[in-house]
Amino acid sequence: MATDNGGEIGSGGGGGGARSSNGEHDLSDSLKTFGAALKALREEARLTQEEFAQRVQYSTAYVAKIEQGKRFPPSDLPSRAEPALGAAAAKVLGAAARSLTRRAGLASWFRQWAGIEEEAVSLYAYECRVIPGLLQPEPYIREVFERRLPPLTEEQFEQQVVARLTRQRLLHERPNTSFSFMIEQALLERRMGGPEVTRALIDNLLEQGRHRNVEILVMPLRQEDHSGFEGPKYLAETPDNKWVGYVEAQETSVLITDPKSVSAMLQRYGKMRSQALSRTATASLLEQMRGAL
């Protein structure tokens, strides 16, 4: 799920693949090559995708997407694969990973978080600058990239839009992941892009919020007891039930793994959850705001 004033979480992004006929960005040749190499090494070890996925502790679907060139492999995949495929195969994967081109559509400093995000069992986000990228409808996405400075070329612009729309499939592909988004009411009151864009945004928030695994909470415009003064925050629970944090600003980002620091972020997020409107109250407010447009 991501924030970002220049990354993929919220507003910005990297450079990346071109639009294809089915609306997805083209896959880079290097990702396809890495995927083919992984598949060949797995088959040489006489392992099915399911068996290999179990040994490296990734989902079978995720392994399949890596082999198809549809996902950027996690940085620790070669080391995880060594017990299953052998030392020589791990070295081959390591060399192939180092030769990968930049992940299409994602800023280089966002890629590590993107890999964590794709496998997370829980994802939390608090945003006060821009609607989180996973919740942005296409009209809002286009308004965001229209305002990027320095300006994007037409090709870059379309690449960014497609990359963000493609990434949003996480919400549908991971029904067992718990998503929690907390956004400031001011982001809706701003009406960036005008009434029509805001209407599309609110409609999307209402639609996504109906899913059992997606929680959308609005922090009221007036809230005297507000613990979010330290800014946006993103948190992910990994498949082995460890938590990591992520913060982003001005073309850079920090992945936070120190348990004490992550614990503090979780405490703040939990406190803010009690300060925001409930899911029901949020939906009611969104309906009210939509009616006023």
Side-chain angles (χ1 to χ4, degrees):
M1 208 169 22
T3 147
D4 74 357
N5 292 323
E8 181 56 19
I9 284 184
S11 62
R19 182 186 291 273
S20 64
S21 59
N22 64 0
E24 297 180 9
H25 64 280
D26 293 336
L27 304 173
S28 74
D29 289 340
S30 56
L31 283 177
K32 290 180 181 178
T33 300
F34 183 93
L38 175 59
K39 181 179 179 181
L41 291 168
R42 173 182 60 76
E43 291 178 342
E44 180 67 21
R46 303 193 178 190
L47 294 173
T48 65
Q49 279 187 344
E50 292 79 4
E51 290 168 337
F52 178 72
Q54 186 175 19
R55 296 196 188 189
V56 296
Q57 297 183 316
Y58 292 130
S59 68
T60 303
Y62 190 41
V63 169
K65 286 171 184 174
I66 294 173
E67 290 189 355
Q68 293 162 11
K70 294 181 179 179
R71 287 290 186 271
F72 199 92
S75 59
D76 63 348
L77 179 59
S79 60
R80 286 198 188 200
E82 183 170 353
L85 305 180
K91 287 182 180 179
V92 171
L93 287 178
R98 287 190 292 274
S99 68
L100 286 174
T101 59
R102 181 177 177 173
R103 186 173 185 171
L106 299 183
S108 59
W109 39 265
F110 176 76
R111 283 180 287 160
Q112 189 176 8
W113 174 257
I116 292 171
E117 187 181 61
E118 288 171 348
E119 281 292 288
V121 296
S122 299
L123 281 166
Y124 296 170
Y126 163 65
E127 188 55 76
C128 56
R129 301 167 303 179
V130 68
I131 300 298
L134 288 177
L135 296 178
Q136 295 176 5
E138 185 170 346
Y140 187 92
I141 294 172
R142 290 184 175 277
E143 291 296 330
V144 166
F145 288 126
E146 187 70 39
R147 289 161 175 75
R148 275 301 303 275
L149 292 173
L152 301 171
T153 66
E154 285 301 314
E155 182 181 6
Q156 289 172 331
F157 185 97
E158 292 303 322
Q159 288 172 353
Q160 296 281 18
V161 172
V162 173
R164 180 148 304 173
L165 290 172
T166 299
R167 184 171 151 266
Q168 290 177 355
R169 291 184 297 178
L170 272 177
L171 290 172
H172 309 291
E173 291 179 348
R174 300 193 61 80
N176 297 119
T177 294
S178 176
F179 295 93
S180 177
F181 300 94
M182 193 184 311
I183 59 176
E184 290 287 340
Q185 184 178 341
L187 298 179
L188 302 167
E189 298 284 1
R190 186 173 297 151
R191 299 189 182 185
M192 188 174 73
E196 290 302 316
V197 173
T198 304
R199 188 174 292 112
L201 171 61
I202 292 176
D203 285 345
N204 190 55
L205 293 176
L206 287 167
E207 179 184 352
Q208 300 304 332
R210 293 188 187 103
H211 296 294
R212 288 192 301 272
N213 65 319
V214 178
E215 174 186 71
I216 297 177
L217 309 175
V218 166
M219 182 67 77
L221 195 59
R222 292 179 177 84
Q223 173 56 276
E224 294 182 6
D225 186 17
H226 192 330
S227 299
F229 54 85
E230 295 193 57
K233 57 180 65 65
Y234 293 79
L235 290 148
E237 182 184 9
T238 65
D240 56 356
N241 304 116
K242 294 180 181 177
W243 285 87
V244 294
Y246 179 82
V247 293
E248 181 181 292
Q250 301 295 329
E251 309 294 330
T252 189
S253 66
V254 177
L255 187 68
I256 302 168
T257 58
D258 173 62
K260 186 174 181 180
S261 298
V262 175
S263 175
M265 293 177 71
L266 281 167
Q267 289 179 51
R268 292 175 199 137
Y269 194 86
K271 182 68 172 177
M272 291 169 64
R273 238 174 175 168
S274 71
Q275 297 163 342
L277 298 177
S278 68
R279 288 183 70 165
T280 302
T282 290
S284 178
L285 175 63
L286 292 174
E287 294 280 7
Q288 261 184 359
M289 295 180 75
R290 192 190 189 288
L293 290 172

